[in-house]
């Protein structure tokens, strides 16, 4: 498993005071800004006024390797707590990832191997510290206590929760009413997730609003074990690039914070216009009054939505890369999509046949997940060869002199005949 990183306060420096005076409204306003719900605000105020660092718990689902903009909204809120001197306790669900959690989905998530979890966490740790302060961050893996739990311990824990309580959870309730199966291990997931809060003695737990049921259950379990129940800080969910569902790696509608600047810029430029204020508020954390002005300007036609998206894309790339990277990404996007020029750099693929069907080319270079997807892209007019649309899936392309293939809005590649090697 990935090595645990339990950081102490930075050496040679002083930890900020953890206590917030009760009358310090500026700090309180900053804490509650861009949250959806706090359970309970009075408890949070009282704990913030204590002269000791709080333990702020955040669960990490290691089922995919990327931190995306939606999850980053939670990390930035956690960063605000760290700047006040509090400790971020990141619970890596390496044990629970082997169970599978529906988390609002109609189907359960896949169960992962130790190797998959280790690789995903390696990528996570590289990205998380783009936002969090390492010295105030503690990583804990819930296999540390869950893998040691005996059967009688598990039964004792499960006895604290009723089936009726679990069926209140919306996704369980829906599946139960529709007659879809719910495996017993799925019922255990929110129970043992709540037990994580007991084991790390969490003072506050932060996460998306879709985790409210699990968080409330954690409060109950802490009471059972004689602990002060954690305060819940629930964050709004960022909609994905499809403009319909929450941003999610499993749904493929996400923008990763470590994606190349050009890819990040292009994806933001592709979001529906109605998401522009939503992204300014949650991704860039603009004040509500400024977000309202942006929404009003779009509605009145005072400003071109494309200009607002370009500004949004530039600021996001600057935030996660640099100002220079943002300038270059904006320039390249403008040249490619506004002036219809080709990118200066694109991957080159050498394929083993001089002539190949376009559907085979798209699949072979990895620009589609399957040949069925490649056929769909071609039939929808989403594939161009040397600037011309190819809509016949059986059309053969001569690769002797090389061609430029464009798939969708942003994927370019040079494809040439070159024996049996493929290179990028």
């Amino acid at each position: 498993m990935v090595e645990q990183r339990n950081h102490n306060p930075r050496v040679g420096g002083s930890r900020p005071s953890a206590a917030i005076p009760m009358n310090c409204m500026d700090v309180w306003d900053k804490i509650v800004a861009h949250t959806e719900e706090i359970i309970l605000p009075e408890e949070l105020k009282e704990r913030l006024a204590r002269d000791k660092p709080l333990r702020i718990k955040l669960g990490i689902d290691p089922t995919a390797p990327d931190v995306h903009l939606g999850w980053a909204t939670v990390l930035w809120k956690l960063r605000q707590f760290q700047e006040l001197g509090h400790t971020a306790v990141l619970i890596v669900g390496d044990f629970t990832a082997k169970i599978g959690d529906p988390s609002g989905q109609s189907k359960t998530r896949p169960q992962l191997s130790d190797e998959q979890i280790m690789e995903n966490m390696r990528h996570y740790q590289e990205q998380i510290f783009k936002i969090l302060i390492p010295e105030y961050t503690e990583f804990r893996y819930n296999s540390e206590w869950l893998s040691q739990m005996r059967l009688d311990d598990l039964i004792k824990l499960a006895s604290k929760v009723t089936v009726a309580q679990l069926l209140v959870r919306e996704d369980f309730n829906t599946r139960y009413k529709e007659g879809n199966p719910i495996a017993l291990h799925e019922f255990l997931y929110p129970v043992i997730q709540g037990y994580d809060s007991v084991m790390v003695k969490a003072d506050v737990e932060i996460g998306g609003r879709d985790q409210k049921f699990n968080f409330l259950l954690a409060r109950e379990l802490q009471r059972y074990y004689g602990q002060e129940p954690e305060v819940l800080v629930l964050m709004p969910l960022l909609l994905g690039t499809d403009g319909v569902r929450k941003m999610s790696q499993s749904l493929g509608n996400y923008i990763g914070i470590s994606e190349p600047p050009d890819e990040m810029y292009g994806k933001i430029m592709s979001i529906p216009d109605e998401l522009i204020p939503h992204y300014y508020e949650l991704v860039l954390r603009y004040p509500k009054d400024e977000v309202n002005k942006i929404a009003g300007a779009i509605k009145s036609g005072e400003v071109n939505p494309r200009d607002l998206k370009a500004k949004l894309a530039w600021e996001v790339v600057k935030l996660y890369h640099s100002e220079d990277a943002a300038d270059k990404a904006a320039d390249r996007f403008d040249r490619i999509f506004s002036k219809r020029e080709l990118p200066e750099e694109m991957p080159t693929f050498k394929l083993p046949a001089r002539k190949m069907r376009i559907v085979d080319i798209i699949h072979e270079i990895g620009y589609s997940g399957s040949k069925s997807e490649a056929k769909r892209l071609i039939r929808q007019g989403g594939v161009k060869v040397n600037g011309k649309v190819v809509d016949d899936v059986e059309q053969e392309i001569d690769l002797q002199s090389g061609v430029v293939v464009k798939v969708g809005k942003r994927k370019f590649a040079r494809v040439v005949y070159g024996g049996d090697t493929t290179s990028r």
Side-chain angles (χ1 to χ4, degrees):
M1 194 51 59
V2 181
E3 180 182 358
Q4 294 189 28
R5 299 176 65 177
N6 295 310
H7 297 281
N8 295 318
R10 60 171 62 85
V11 177
S14 60
R15 190 181 184 103
S17 172
I20 298 179
M22 294 298 287
N23 60 352
C24 189
M25 293 307 297
D26 288 344
V27 176
W28 175 252
D29 289 345
K30 183 179 180 181
I31 288 292
V32 301
H34 306 112
T35 62
E36 181 150 319
E37 185 179 6
I38 295 178
I39 304 172
L40 295 158
E42 297 77 12
E43 290 183 8
L44 182 57
K45 284 183 178 180
E46 190 275 326
R47 293 184 197 190
L48 289 171
R50 298 175 184 175
D51 191 19
K52 72 167 189 175
L54 300 177
R55 294 175 63 75
I56 319 296
K57 174 193 169 190
L58 172 64
I60 298 179
D61 165 30
T63 57
D66 296 324
V67 174
H68 57 66
L69 294 181
W71 196 45
T73 63
V74 179
L75 291 174
W76 282 112
K77 180 58 62 179
L78 191 53
R79 168 68 182 249
Q80 290 179 341
F81 280 98
Q82 288 185 314
E83 290 172 351
L84 295 171
H86 303 294
T87 301
V89 183
L90 274 57
I91 307 296
V92 181
D94 61 327
F95 189 91
T96 41
K98 299 174 188 177
I99 295 176
D101 172 29
S103 292
Q105 306 297 324
S106 59
K107 296 181 179 179
T108 61
R109 290 179 182 170
Q111 298 177 5
L112 299 185
S113 67
D114 286 337
E115 291 73 20
Q116 289 172 306
I117 293 169
M118 182 171 62
E119 179 64 16
N120 289 344
M121 277 308 302
R122 184 178 68 81
H123 290 290
Y124 264 150
Q125 292 196 40
E126 292 171 357
Q127 299 169 71
I128 281 172
F129 292 123
K130 284 177 174 282
I131 300 174
L132 297 185
I133 302 171
E135 291 84 355
Y136 299 161
T137 304
E138 177 183 317
F139 280 93
R140 299 289 296 274
Y141 292 79
N142 63 11
S143 60
E144 176 187 336
W145 47 87
L146 294 177
S147 64
Q148 305 301 315
M149 185 176 282
R150 302 189 320 178
L151 180 58
D152 56 342
D153 294 327
L154 179 60
I155 292 173
K156 180 180 177 181
L157 174 62
S159 71
K160 309 298 183 185
V161 183
T162 69
V163 172
Q165 281 179 290
L166 293 169
L167 285 176
V168 171
R169 183 165 141 170
E170 184 178 356
D171 55 317
F172 286 152
N173 187 266
T174 299
R175 288 162 64 188
Y176 180 73
K177 288 180 177 178
E178 292 176 352
N180 294 323
I182 303 172
L184 184 58
H185 74 278
E186 294 181 68
F187 274 158
L188 290 176
Y189 184 94
V191 178
I192 60 179
Q193 185 186 51
Y195 188 63
D196 292 344
S197 295
V198 175
M199 294 304 297
V200 299
K201 296 180 171 61
D203 297 298
V204 177
E205 182 158 17
I206 185 170
R209 68 168 188 242
D210 56 340
Q211 291 292 318
K212 183 175 181 178
F213 176 90
N214 292 350
F215 290 2
L216 287 171
L217 190 58
R219 279 175 59 90
E220 292 302 313
L221 288 174
Q222 284 183 306
R223 284 196 186 96
Y224 284 131
Y225 284 91
Q227 295 181 12
E228 191 174 35
E230 63 188 22
V231 174
L232 311 181
V233 177
L234 301 173
M235 302 293 293
L237 302 178
L238 182 73
L239 292 178
T241 53
D242 56 4
V244 178
R245 298 171 294 182
K246 75 169 184 176
M247 187 171 285
S248 166
Q249 294 175 82
S250 60
L251 296 174
N253 62 351
Y254 73 99
I255 302 170
I257 69 171
S258 288
E259 288 187 13
D262 287 1
E263 188 74 9
M264 181 180 285
Y265 192 99
K267 282 187 176 182
I268 294 172
M269 291 299 293
S270 73
I271 66 172
D273 290 351
E274 57 268 22
L275 286 189
I276 294 173
H278 181 66
Y279 274 52
Y280 269 99
E281 180 175 10
L282 298 186
V283 177
L284 295 179
R285 305 180 305 285
Y286 270 39
K288 193 65 176 179
D289 57 343
E290 292 187 38
V291 173
N292 290 338
K293 288 179 182 177
I294 291 171
I298 295 173
K299 186 176 181 180
S300 66
E302 178 184 338
V303 65
N304 186 334
R306 187 191 182 283
D307 294 336
L308 285 172
K309 272 196 277 193
K311 183 176 186 295
L312 172 68
W314 185 90
E315 289 199 29
V316 173
V317 174
K318 177 188 174 185
L319 178 64
Y320 291 106
H321 292 282
S322 68
E323 185 171 341
D324 181 60
D327 287 339
K328 289 178 178 177
D331 179 65
R332 282 191 287 263
F333 184 90
D334 186 58
R335 285 190 291 105
I336 294 170
F337 296 102
S338 297
K339 300 177 183 177
R340 298 294 187 263
E341 295 180 16
L342 295 175
E344 294 175 359
E345 297 181 5
M346 66 180 79
T348 297
F349 296 88
K350 297 178 180 179
L351 299 184
R354 190 176 72 85
K355 287 187 176 182
M356 294 181 67
R357 295 186 309 161
I358 184 61
V359 65
D360 295 325
I361 293 172
I362 299 303
H363 182 60
E364 191 69 25
I365 66 176
Y367 280 12
S368 68
S370 64
K371 287 191 178 181
S372 296
E373 181 186 354
K375 289 178 180 178
R376 177 180 59 78
L377 289 167
I378 295 165
R379 287 167 179 156
Q380 290 177 347
V383 175
K384 290 184 179 181
V385 175
N386 291 337
K388 295 183 179 180
V389 174
V390 176
D391 56 11
D392 179 2
V393 298
E394 299 297 329
Q395 182 170 331
E396 285 197 334
I397 307 298
D398 191 334
L399 304 179
Q400 182 65 44
S401 300
V403 295
V404 173
V405 177
K406 180 183 178 185
V407 179
K409 295 181 179 180
R410 294 182 295 277
K411 292 182 178 179
F412 291 84
R414 289 187 179 90
V415 184
V416 299
Y417 169 61
D420 60 356
T421 60
T422 301
S423 63
R424 293 177 186 260

